[in-house]
Amino acid sequence: MAVSRRRTRTAIAATVAAVGLTLGLTTGCDAVNKALDCVETADAVADAVTDLQQAVDSAANDPTQTQEAIDSIGKSLDKIDSETGDADLDKATEDLRRALTEVTTAIENGDQTPDITGVTDAAGELTKVCTS
């Protein structure tokens, strides 16, 4: 069992190294670093969207969790905006900000369980842009 896991880890490490080397040779280190930053930040956004879903589901217990999740997504978007200049990525972050504004407005208007489908869709698009 341990040998199998070690082989799997070694294979994954070799694959990641090969992809990294290939990307480095074809696109340059700065592009690779930006892409990795984008993917890491998109991952943070995905985690925050999950937190938002959970917060909306339990809003009756602690309504402040929803705003905290929205703020967390906003901070991740700020990071993406400051690190990249890609037009597709800019559109994806803009769409996600718009969806967050809609959720915030719904909450401010008394909706304790707002529809966050727009947020999840926009976050999915952001992830797609970062990984393509």
Side-chain angles (χ1 to χ4, degrees), residues 18-43:
V19 170
L21 180 60
T22 303
L23 286 173
L25 293 173
T26 60
T27 61
C29 292
D30 288 342
V32 172
N33 288 337
K34 284 184 180 181
L36 289 174
D37 287 344
C38 183
V39 170
E40 288 172 1
T41 305
D43 187 46

Side-chain angles (χ1 to χ4, degrees), residues 30-117:
D30 288 342
V32 172
N33 288 337
K34 284 184 180 181
L36 289 174
D37 287 344
C38 183
V39 170
E40 288 172 1
T41 305
D43 187 46
V45 168
D47 289 344
V49 169
T50 299
D51 292 345
L52 176 60
Q53 179 63 53
Q54 292 171 350
V56 167
D57 290 344
S58 63
N61 298 332
D62 186 0
T64 62
Q65 288 181 350
T66 303
Q67 191 57 50
E68 289 171 8
I70 290 171
D71 292 344
S72 177
I73 296 169
K75 287 177 185 175
S76 293
L77 294 177
D78 291 343
K79 182 178 178 186
I80 290 173
D81 287 341
S82 71
E83 294 177 351
T84 63
D86 181 78
D88 292 333
L89 192 54
D90 289 344
K91 181 180 179 332
T93 59
E94 181 182 314
D95 290 347
L96 185 48
R97 287 185 194 280
R98 187 176 311 112
L100 288 171
T101 300
E102 291 171 4
V103 170
T104 301
T105 300
I107 292 168
E108 289 171 351
N109 289 335
D111 187 350
Q112 292 199 9
T113 55
D115 180 12
I116 67 164
T117 303

